[in-house]
Protein backbone atom coordinates (compact mmCIF):
# COMPACT_ATOMS: atom_id res chain seq x y z
CA UNK A 1 0.00 0.00 0.00
CA UNK A 2 1.41 3.33 -1.08
CA UNK A 3 1.68 5.96 1.68
CA UNK A 4 1.08 9.57 0.68
CA UNK A 5 0.94 12.56 2.98
CA UNK A 6 -1.82 15.12 2.56
CA UNK A 7 -0.17 18.26 3.94
CA UNK A 8 -2.96 19.52 6.16
CA UNK A 9 -3.82 19.92 9.83
CA UNK A 10 -7.48 20.50 8.94
CA UNK A 11 -9.47 17.41 9.99
CA UNK A 12 -12.48 18.40 7.84
CA UNK A 13 -10.35 18.64 4.70
CA UNK A 14 -8.51 15.42 5.54
CA UNK A 15 -11.73 13.41 5.98
CA UNK A 16 -13.20 14.89 2.79
CA UNK A 17 -10.15 13.81 0.76
CA UNK A 18 -9.79 10.45 2.52
CA UNK A 19 -13.32 9.56 1.38
CA UNK A 20 -12.27 10.09 -2.25
CA UNK A 21 -8.80 8.48 -2.28
CA UNK A 22 -8.74 4.78 -3.31
CA UNK A 23 -8.12 2.19 -0.60
CA UNK A 24 -4.82 1.26 -2.32
CA UNK A 25 -3.39 4.52 -0.95
CA UNK A 26 -2.83 5.00 2.77
CA UNK A 27 -3.43 8.69 3.30
CA UNK A 28 -1.47 10.32 6.13
CA UNK A 29 -1.99 13.75 7.63
CA UNK A 30 0.69 16.10 8.94
CA UNK A 31 -0.18 14.93 12.45
CA UNK A 32 0.44 11.30 11.38
CA UNK A 33 4.04 12.14 10.42
CA UNK A 34 4.51 14.28 13.56
CA UNK A 35 4.67 17.53 11.64
CA UNK A 36 3.02 19.88 14.10
CA UNK A 37 4.34 23.19 12.79
CA UNK A 38 2.14 25.56 10.83
CA UNK A 39 3.60 25.86 7.32
CA UNK A 40 3.65 29.52 6.35
CA UNK A 41 1.54 30.30 3.28
CA UNK A 42 3.44 33.34 2.06
CA UNK A 43 2.84 33.13 -1.69
CA UNK A 44 0.73 35.68 -3.57
CA UNK A 45 -1.17 32.90 -5.39
CA UNK A 46 -3.11 29.75 -4.56
CA UNK A 47 -0.69 27.80 -6.78
CA UNK A 48 2.30 29.17 -4.89
CA UNK A 49 0.91 28.28 -1.46
CA UNK A 50 0.17 24.69 -2.51
CA UNK A 51 3.75 24.32 -3.77
CA UNK A 52 5.26 25.83 -0.61
CA UNK A 53 3.47 23.27 1.57
CA UNK A 54 4.29 20.30 -0.68
CA UNK A 55 7.96 21.32 -0.91
CA UNK A 56 8.21 21.72 2.85
CA UNK A 57 6.80 18.29 3.65
CA UNK A 58 8.66 16.44 0.90
CA UNK A 59 12.09 17.92 1.64
CA UNK A 60 11.79 17.76 5.43
CA UNK A 61 10.01 14.41 5.88
CA UNK A 62 10.88 12.57 2.62
CA UNK A 63 7.33 11.31 2.03
CA UNK A 64 5.50 11.50 -1.28
CA UNK A 65 2.96 14.20 -0.57
CA UNK A 66 0.45 16.62 -1.88
CA UNK A 67 -0.77 19.92 -0.57
CA UNK A 68 -3.72 22.01 -1.55
CA UNK A 69 -4.71 25.59 -1.35
CA UNK A 70 -8.20 26.84 -2.03
CA UNK A 71 -9.66 30.23 -2.65
CA UNK A 72 -13.14 31.57 -3.10
CA UNK A 73 -13.10 34.08 -5.96
CA UNK A 74 -16.06 36.47 -6.13
CA UNK A 75 -16.48 38.32 -9.42
CA UNK A 76 -18.09 41.46 -7.95
CA UNK A 77 -15.15 41.78 -5.53
CA UNK A 78 -12.53 41.42 -8.28
CA UNK A 79 -11.57 37.92 -7.16
CA UNK A 80 -11.60 38.51 -3.40
CA UNK A 81 -11.09 36.87 -1.03
CA UNK A 82 -8.99 34.60 -3.31
CA UNK A 83 -5.64 33.56 -1.88
CA UNK A 84 -6.63 35.23 1.43
CA UNK A 85 -9.86 33.21 1.81
CA UNK A 86 -8.89 31.51 5.10
CA UNK A 87 -7.73 34.81 6.65
CA UNK A 88 -10.20 37.18 4.98
CA UNK A 89 -11.44 38.62 8.28
CA UNK A 90 -8.13 38.28 10.15
CA UNK A 91 -5.34 35.91 11.07
CA UNK A 92 -7.44 33.77 13.46
CA UNK A 93 -9.00 31.98 10.42
CA UNK A 94 -12.58 32.25 11.72
CA UNK A 95 -15.03 30.86 9.15
CA UNK A 96 -17.89 32.77 10.77
CA UNK A 97 -16.02 36.08 10.65
CA UNK A 98 -14.92 35.41 7.05
CA UNK A 99 -18.53 34.75 5.98
CA UNK A 100 -19.74 37.86 7.83
CA UNK A 101 -17.17 40.04 6.08
CA UNK A 102 -17.96 38.57 2.65
CA UNK A 103 -21.72 39.02 3.09
CA UNK A 104 -21.15 42.60 4.28
CA UNK A 105 -18.97 43.36 1.24
CA UNK A 106 -21.64 41.93 -1.08
CA UNK A 107 -24.70 43.48 0.57
CA UNK A 108 -25.20 46.08 -2.19
CA UNK A 109 -24.41 43.63 -5.00
CA UNK A 110 -26.86 41.80 -7.25
CA UNK A 111 -24.00 40.23 -9.20
CA UNK A 112 -22.98 37.38 -6.85
CA UNK A 113 -21.24 34.91 -9.17
CA UNK A 114 -18.25 33.18 -7.64
CA UNK A 115 -16.03 30.17 -7.97
CA UNK A 116 -14.07 27.97 -5.66
CA UNK A 117 -10.61 27.12 -6.96
CA UNK A 118 -8.41 24.38 -5.51
CA UNK A 119 -4.85 23.73 -6.59
CA UNK A 120 -3.17 20.49 -5.52
CA UNK A 121 0.60 20.23 -5.78
CA UNK A 122 2.03 16.69 -5.74
CA UNK A 123 5.68 15.78 -5.10
CA UNK A 124 7.72 12.63 -4.87
CA UNK A 125 11.28 11.85 -5.91
CA UNK A 126 10.43 11.97 -9.64
CA UNK A 127 7.29 14.09 -9.91
CA UNK A 128 6.48 17.73 -9.25
CA UNK A 129 2.99 18.33 -10.68
CA UNK A 130 -0.05 20.58 -10.21
CA UNK A 131 -3.78 19.79 -10.53
CA UNK A 132 -6.59 22.36 -10.52
CA UNK A 133 -10.30 22.03 -9.79
CA UNK A 134 -12.87 24.80 -10.21
CA UNK A 135 -16.51 24.85 -9.11
CA UNK A 136 -18.62 27.78 -10.29
CA UNK A 137 -21.66 29.04 -8.42
CA UNK A 138 -23.00 32.02 -6.53
CA UNK A 139 -22.99 33.52 -3.06
CA UNK A 140 -26.38 33.68 -1.36
CA UNK A 141 -27.44 36.33 1.15
CA UNK A 142 -27.60 34.18 4.31
CA UNK A 143 -26.20 30.93 5.65
CA UNK A 144 -28.00 27.64 4.94
CA UNK A 145 -27.08 24.13 6.06
CA UNK A 146 -25.03 22.47 8.77
CA UNK A 147 -22.56 20.40 6.73
CA UNK A 148 -19.23 21.25 5.19
CA UNK A 149 -16.93 23.99 6.46
CA UNK A 150 -15.57 27.39 5.52
CA UNK A 151 -17.78 29.27 3.07
CA UNK A 152 -19.95 26.21 2.32
CA UNK A 153 -23.14 27.63 3.97
CA UNK A 154 -23.27 30.57 1.53
CA UNK A 155 -22.08 28.94 -1.73
CA UNK A 156 -24.58 27.37 -4.14
CA UNK A 157 -22.86 25.45 -6.96
CA UNK A 158 -24.11 25.82 -10.54
CA UNK A 159 -26.98 23.45 -11.32
CA UNK A 160 -28.05 23.10 -7.66
CA UNK A 161 -30.43 24.89 -5.32
CA UNK A 162 -28.66 23.74 -2.14
CA UNK A 163 -25.51 25.19 -0.64
CA UNK A 164 -22.44 23.01 -0.19
CA UNK A 165 -23.42 22.89 3.50
CA UNK A 166 -26.82 21.38 2.58
CA UNK A 167 -25.63 18.80 0.04
CA UNK A 168 -24.75 15.24 1.10
CA UNK A 169 -20.97 14.78 1.40
CA UNK A 170 -20.91 12.27 -1.48
CA UNK A 171 -22.57 14.79 -3.81
CA UNK A 172 -20.29 17.61 -2.72
CA UNK A 173 -17.20 15.43 -3.24
CA UNK A 174 -18.27 14.68 -6.84
CA UNK A 175 -18.76 18.30 -7.89
CA UNK A 176 -16.56 20.37 -5.59
CA UNK A 177 -13.36 22.15 -6.56
CA UNK A 178 -11.36 19.96 -4.17
CA UNK A 179 -13.07 16.78 -5.38
CA UNK A 180 -12.32 17.66 -9.02
CA UNK A 181 -8.66 18.44 -8.29
CA UNK A 182 -8.14 15.26 -6.25
CA UNK A 183 -9.76 13.15 -9.01
CA UNK A 184 -7.17 14.53 -11.44
CA UNK A 185 -4.41 13.59 -9.00
CA UNK A 186 -5.82 10.07 -8.53
CA UNK A 187 -6.12 9.54 -12.30
CA UNK A 188 -2.51 10.65 -12.65
CA UNK A 189 -1.31 8.27 -9.91
CA UNK A 190 -3.18 5.35 -11.52
CA UNK A 191 -1.70 5.98 -15.00
Amino acid sequence: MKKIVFATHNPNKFEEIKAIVPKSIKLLSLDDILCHEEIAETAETIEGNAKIKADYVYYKYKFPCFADDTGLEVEALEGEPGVKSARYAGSDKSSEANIDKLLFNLKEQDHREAQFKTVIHFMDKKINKRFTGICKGKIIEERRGNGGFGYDPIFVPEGYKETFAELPAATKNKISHRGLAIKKLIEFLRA
Side-chain angles (χ1 to χ4, degrees), residues 44-111:
E44 296 291 318
T45 64
I46 293 166
E47 293 83 357
N49 281 337
K51 186 173 185 333
I52 285 171
K53 292 183 280 188
D55 283 350
Y56 183 89
V57 172
Y58 180 74
Y59 290 115
K60 184 164 183 180
Y61 294 92
K62 308 298 184 212
F63 276 100
C65 69
F66 65 91
D68 81 318
D69 197 29
T70 295
L72 176 63
E73 300 170 337
V74 180
E75 286 182 23
L77 301 177
E78 299 179 5
E80 279 189 14
V83 71
K84 297 178 177 144
S85 291
R87 297 171 183 82
Y88 192 45
S91 60
D92 63 347
K93 297 183 182 181
S94 164
S95 292
E96 291 303 310
N98 289 338
I99 289 173
D100 288 343
K101 180 176 180 180
L102 184 62
L103 292 177
F104 178 81
N105 288 344
L106 283 173
K107 72 179 178 185
E108 302 297 324
Q109 293 287 339
D110 294 327
H111 180 62

Side-chain angles (χ1 to χ4, degrees), residues 11-191:
N12 294 314
K13 253 195 221 185
F14 185 79
E15 289 305 316
E16 188 174 282
I17 296 298
K18 190 175 177 184
I20 302 169
V21 170
K23 303 293 182 228
S24 59
I25 295 173
K26 179 165 177 58
L27 196 62
L28 304 171
S29 71
L30 291 178
D31 294 331
D32 292 329
I33 63 168
L34 305 178
C35 173
H36 301 295
E37 56 265 38
E38 190 71 32
I39 302 166
E41 297 178 33
T42 55
E44 296 291 318
T45 64
I46 293 166
E47 293 83 357
N49 281 337
K51 186 173 185 333
I52 285 171
K53 292 183 280 188
D55 283 350
Y56 183 89
V57 172
Y58 180 74
Y59 290 115
K60 184 164 183 180
Y61 294 92
K62 308 298 184 212
F63 276 100
C65 69
F66 65 91
D68 81 318
D69 197 29
T70 295
L72 176 63
E73 300 170 337
V74 180
E75 286 182 23
L77 301 177
E78 299 179 5
E80 279 189 14
V83 71
K84 297 178 177 144
S85 291
R87 297 171 183 82
Y88 192 45
S91 60
D92 63 347
K93 297 183 182 181
S94 164
S95 292
E96 291 303 310
N98 289 338
I99 289 173
D100 288 343
K101 180 176 180 180
L102 184 62
L103 292 177
F104 178 81
N105 288 344
L106 283 173
K107 72 179 178 185
E108 302 297 324
Q109 293 287 339
D110 294 327
H111 180 62
R112 301 174 80 87
E113 284 76 13
Q115 70 178 21
F116 270 118
K117 176 181 176 183
T118 291
V119 173
I120 290 177
H121 199 96
F122 176 78
M123 288 192 70
D124 72 7
K125 59 186 168 211
K126 297 178 188 168
I127 302 164
N128 191 341
K129 193 157 176 60
R130 181 184 318 153
F131 306 89
T132 302
I134 291 175
C135 182
K136 294 186 177 292
K138 67 178 181 180
I139 304 299
I140 59 173
E141 294 179 6
E142 57 187 35
R143 294 166 175 82
R144 289 195 334 235
N146 298 315
F149 58 97
Y151 295 93
D152 287 357
I154 59 168
F155 182 82
V156 175
E158 272 184 3
Y160 290 82
K161 293 181 177 145
E162 304 88 356
T163 66
F164 268 165
E166 294 173 304
L167 288 171
T171 303
K172 180 188 171 193
N173 287 343
K174 281 183 189 169
I175 64 168
S176 79
H177 46 292
R178 193 170 291 108
L180 295 171
I182 197 71
K183 282 177 197 149
K184 290 178 183 177
L185 169 62
I186 291 165
E187 285 166 15
F188 174 78
L189 293 173
R190 285 179 171 152

